[in-house]
């Protein structure tokens, strides 16, 4: 038995909550993962996991062993990484998941610079506004907006997105220009709802002008859970939208979008890179985080 392989299998089963998912992320057969965990239990002479047909839970002994196994594996990876000299270029595959507008308008256009700096890093990019299972899907990191909710992930703040309220020129011709944000809740105007992935509720517009602060949901007949489709709905005149400045910049320059309520401030949205705390932060992940942070500040 390779003890470290067995420890990795055990830790991944705990992380994913499943022998099948652990096998997929380790690119091993389920039978092999089961054998490794059984061999580890035989070596330690204790049962680490309680298995049922539906779930896997740690035993009392497993609760004690798991954090130590995580620590030892992290130390091993750190020791192996330290053998590389400071001049070695980071290399290998990095799997990330990012929101679709962020990928289309910010990340992908800047990738030539990233690959010029780090030609030996292969990026696999998932593009979605939906939440992914970072551990179960074996993703190295995700980029998401808003305050971190998932306590099982480490969150690194990389910047903030500034927002504005916009409407298409055609919409304003048909409905008129609202003079106050409260009009968005009245019968004369429509907004496009943006569905939050976790709750399924629509995002509210929290706005402030001097000492006055209002919280507006808006009246909508369409709600969307994808940023690019949300912008497209605004451009199509389906309602007033609240989008990050980087998304509205090009359509506004072409006269397709008009910014409303210039004297009102909308709270910025923090952006984070999030990754599992039980994974060693590889050199390739570290340079990517540094690079995307600089990209956000540019």
């Amino acid at each position: 038995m390779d003890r470290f392989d067995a420890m990795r299998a055990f830790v991944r089963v705990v992380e994913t909550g499943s022998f099948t998912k652990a096998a997929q992320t380790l690119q091993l057969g389920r039978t092999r993962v089961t054998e490794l965990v059984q061999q580890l239990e035989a070596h330690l002479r204790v049962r680490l996991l309680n298995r049922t047909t539906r779930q896997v839970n740690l035993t009392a002994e497993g609760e004690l062993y798991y954090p130590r196994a995580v620590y030892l594996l992290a130390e091993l990876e750190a020791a192996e990484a330290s053998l590389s000299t400071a001049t070695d270029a980071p290399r290998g595959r990095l799997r990330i998941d990012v929101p679709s507008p962020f990928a289309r308008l910010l990340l992908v256009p800047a990738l030539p610079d990233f690959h010029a700096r780090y030609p030996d890093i292969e990026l696999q990019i998932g593009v979605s506004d939906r939440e992914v299972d970072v551990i179960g899907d074996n993703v190295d990191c995700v980029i998401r907006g808003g305050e971190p909710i998932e306590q099982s992930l480490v969150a690194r703040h990389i910047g903030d997105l500034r927002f504005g309220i916009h409407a298409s020129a055609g919409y304003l011709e048909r409905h008129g220009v609202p003079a106050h944000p409260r009009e968005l809740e009245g019968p004369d105007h429509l907004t496009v709802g943006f569905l939050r992935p976790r709750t399924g509720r629509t995002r509210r517009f929290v706005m402030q002008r001097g000492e006055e602060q209002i919280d507006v949901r808006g009246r909508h007949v369409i709600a969307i859970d994808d940023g690019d489709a949300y912008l497209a709905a605004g451009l199509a005149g389906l309602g007033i939208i609240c989008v990050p400045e980087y998304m509205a910049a090009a359509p506004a320059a072409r006269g397709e979008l008009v910014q409303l309520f210039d004297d009102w401030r909308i709270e910025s949205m923090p952006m984070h890179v999030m990754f599992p705390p039980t994974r060693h932060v590889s050199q390739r992940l570290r340079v990517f985080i540094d690079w995307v942070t600089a990209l956000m500040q540019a």
Side-chain angles (χ1 to χ4, degrees):
M1 175 192 69
D2 186 309
R3 194 178 306 177
F4 284 106
D5 282 348
M7 290 170 62
R8 285 191 184 96
F10 164 68
V11 167
R12 194 57 58 84
V13 169
V14 177
E15 289 178 342
T16 61
S18 161
F19 279 84
T20 300
K21 289 183 179 179
Q24 292 171 347
T25 63
L26 291 169
Q27 297 184 332
L28 296 173
R30 187 187 186 281
T31 301
R32 179 55 181 159
V33 172
T34 301
E35 289 174 348
L36 285 169
V37 174
Q38 289 174 342
Q39 291 169 5
L40 181 63
E41 290 177 323
H43 172 76
L44 297 172
R45 298 181 181 179
V46 297
R47 178 175 289 277
L48 299 171
L49 298 169
N50 287 320
R51 303 121 163 123
T52 68
T53 56
R54 293 189 176 182
Q55 59 185 357
V56 178
N57 294 314
L58 286 166
T59 63
E61 292 79 7
E63 292 279 2
L64 291 173
Y65 187 73
Y66 172 69
R68 297 178 185 180
V70 168
Y71 173 79
L72 287 172
L73 290 173
E75 286 293 300
L76 175 63
E77 292 184 2
E80 292 174 346
S82 69
L83 296 177
S84 300
T85 65
T87 58
D88 283 346
R91 63 182 63 246
R93 180 178 300 168
L94 193 65
R95 296 190 63 193
I96 65 177
D97 193 270
V98 299
S100 52
F102 187 90
R104 181 174 60 89
L105 297 172
L106 290 181
L107 183 68
V108 173
L111 285 182
D113 172 72
F114 180 82
H115 284 299
R117 298 186 190 192
Y118 310 110
D120 296 322
I121 295 180
E122 175 193 342
L123 289 178
Q124 289 191 347
I125 305 174
V127 179
S128 171
D129 283 322
R130 298 179 181 272
E131 294 183 3
V132 299
D133 182 350
V134 177
I135 295 173
D137 293 335
N138 202 25
V139 176
D140 292 293
C141 71
V142 297
I143 297 176
R144 290 292 181 263
E147 293 298 335
I149 298 176
E150 182 55 72
Q151 298 299 315
S152 64
L153 300 177
V154 176
R156 297 270 182 90
H157 180 247
I158 60 173
D160 298 284
L161 296 182
R162 292 181 296 181
F163 279 72
I165 307 293
H166 293 79
S168 72
Y171 173 91
L172 296 176
E173 288 178 3
R174 294 191 303 274
H175 296 270
V177 179
H180 192 279
R182 284 295 183 198
E183 293 184 40
L184 303 187
E185 296 183 321
D188 297 328
H189 287 283
L190 288 172
T191 63
V192 179
F194 186 84
L195 293 168
R196 295 180 177 275
R198 182 177 291 271
T199 65
R201 298 177 180 175
T202 55
R203 181 187 297 157
R204 306 180 75 94
F205 303 169
V206 180
M207 310 174 67
Q208 185 167 352
R209 182 177 62 181
E211 298 299 319
E212 183 181 6
Q213 180 171 315
I214 60 173
D215 185 344
V216 179
R217 183 180 296 277
R219 189 175 65 90
H220 63 268
V221 294
I222 181 173
I224 299 175
D225 66 356
D226 175 82
D228 281 331
Y230 180 75
L231 176 63
L235 291 169
L238 292 171
I240 294 170
I241 56 175
C242 178
V243 291
E245 290 182 353
Y246 80 88
M247 290 179 63
R254 295 191 296 265
E256 297 171 355
L257 284 181
V258 177
Q259 184 167 357
L260 306 174
F261 316 126
D262 292 350
D263 52 343
W264 288 82
R265 184 181 65 84
I266 301 173
E267 185 177 8
S268 297
M269 175 184 290
M271 298 291 291
H272 296 87
V273 171
M274 296 186 289
F275 53 90
T278 54
R279 306 277 179 86
H280 170 64
V281 180
S282 64
Q283 187 183 14
R284 57 185 176 272
L285 178 55
R286 187 177 297 111
V287 299
F288 174 77
I289 292 173
D290 291 342
W291 177 81
V292 79
T293 301
L295 176 66
M296 287 290 296
Q297 306 306 320

